[in-house]
Amino acid sequence: MTNATRARITHWIGRDVRDPVGEKIGSVEQLWFDDEDGSPTWVSVRTGLFGLRQSFLPIQGLTEGPDGELRTTCTKDQVKDAPSVDASDEHLDPAEEQRLYSHYGVTGGAGRQERADTGRADTGQRASAGHDVSGPDTDDAMTRSEERLRVGTEQHEAGRVRLRKYVVTETEQVSVPVRREEVRVEREPITGANRGAALSGPDISEEEHEVTLREERPVVETEAVPVERVRLAKEQVTDTETVSGEVRKERIDTEGDVPGARRDSGR
């Protein structure tokens, strides 16, 4: 593998990895290379809700897209169910690596497999003549990194509200004015004006006069009248919730017996 290829693959650290259908699996945490020929073998991917777990993923079938994201031919469930391997060790145990190969169903041939059994974690960890005694040639500075929480939101259904119309019966009282007729007896003396009518009948007789009395009675009926329109409207309110997660930070100390050496563990 050329230095240019190695440098390009080393830049995969921190890149997102997605499965064939586009689901995000995690982000690359470490690269693993063969001790003998330097060929890439594995990447460890930080997975889980807060990225607290590292799962091993074969370098075979891992490609870089134009957007910088990495695509693998393995499914998200395959990576999630991969055998647990301690990514903090410097070398992969041969038995652990064999379980990984069996899980993913990939091989590199007998010769390659034998060399891959001695693979180790990479930040470019092959012997070099540079200042970095644990890796390749570097400049005179060391990079200190730290993890930071990435917090976002996602929408979930919180409940449903519906309008339902039903009928209730109530009793109302209304005062209604009603009219009725009553009989009043009126008497008038015999005068010249009414004498003719008064003497038109027999002198002495029996008579009956009948008067019909009328009255009003309340009549009750109902009619449906629209009174208002009702609808459901949504509005957004903003609350504040506190989330927490564990992050790792690198610290840099000085070692040695040089007088005047200062210890700086970083911020």
Side-chain angles (χ1 to χ4, degrees):
M1 182 177 61
T2 65
N3 291 334
T5 302
R6 187 184 185 89
R8 179 178 61 82
I9 295 179
T10 303
H11 288 160
W12 285 359
I13 295 178
R15 299 280 183 88
D16 289 340
V17 180
R18 296 187 180 272
D19 70 0
V21 298
E23 278 202 69
K24 181 180 175 180
I25 298 175
S27 57
V28 175
E29 178 69 14
Q30 298 184 84
L31 303 175
W32 298 72
F33 290 84
D34 185 88
D35 274 347
E36 294 184 9
D37 62 7
S39 59
T41 54
W42 302 94
V43 297
S44 57
V45 179
R46 186 168 292 280
T47 60
L49 181 60
F50 294 105
L52 302 180
R53 181 176 184 269
Q54 288 192 50
S55 301
F56 275 73
L57 179 67
I59 205 81
Q60 297 180 39
L62 195 62
T63 57
E64 182 177 356
D67 54 358
E69 288 189 332
L70 304 178
R71 292 277 184 160
T72 178
T73 56
C74 302
T75 66
K76 185 176 182 178
D77 287 338
Q78 274 186 298
V79 180
K80 177 182 176 182
D81 298 334
S84 179
V85 177
D86 188 358
S88 63
D89 291 342
E90 186 176 345
H91 289 75
L92 286 179
D93 181 83
E96 291 177 334
E97 189 169 22
Q98 184 57 51
R99 287 198 301 271
L100 289 172
Y101 273 120
S102 299
H103 172 76
Y104 287 108
V106 296
T107 60
R112 178 183 173 83
Q113 179 63 42
E114 184 177 355
R115 291 193 298 271
D117 283 341
T118 61
R120 63 182 178 183
D122 179 71
T123 49
Q125 293 177 349
R126 295 179 58 82
S128 68
H131 296 290
D132 188 348
V133 296
S134 63
D137 292 340
T138 63
D139 56 19
D140 58 356
M142 182 181 293
T143 301
R144 186 181 70 84
S145 303
E146 65 183 26
E147 294 176 337
R148 301 197 176 165
L149 291 180
R150 294 180 181 175
V151 180
T153 61
E154 59 182 1
Q155 289 192 350
H156 292 271
E157 184 175 303
R160 296 189 177 211
V161 180
R162 63 176 60 88
L163 287 177
R164 182 171 63 88
K165 188 168 66 171
Y166 58 95
V167 177
V168 297
T169 302
E170 298 177 348
T171 300
E172 292 187 358
Q173 291 185 346
V174 180
S175 296
V176 180
V178 292
R179 295 178 300 176
R180 71 176 185 277
E181 294 177 341
E182 294 181 349
V183 173
R184 182 177 72 252
V185 177
E186 296 181 351
R187 299 176 187 271
E188 58 182 21
I190 302 300
T191 63
N194 60 15
R195 179 178 293 275
L199 299 177
S200 61
D203 294 337
I204 301 296
S205 65
E206 293 183 353
E207 289 185 48
E208 290 184 359
H209 279 237
E210 184 178 273
V211 175
T212 301
L213 301 178
R214 298 184 178 276
E215 67 179 8
E216 295 178 337
R217 294 181 182 178
V219 176
V220 179
E221 61 182 19
T222 62
E223 63 175 339
V225 178
V227 292
E228 65 178 353
R229 300 272 294 166
V230 181
R231 65 172 56 86
L232 290 176
K234 294 193 300 183
E235 62 180 12
Q236 287 190 344
V237 296
T238 301
D239 297 327
T240 300
E241 294 188 4
T242 301
V243 296
S244 61
E246 296 182 351
V247 296
R248 300 181 304 166
K249 297 182 179 181
E250 295 177 342
R251 294 288 186 259
I252 299 175
D253 294 338
T254 57
E255 295 181 355
D257 300 327
V258 180
R262 299 175 58 189
R263 177 170 178 168
D264 182 4
S265 59
R267 297 182 178 179

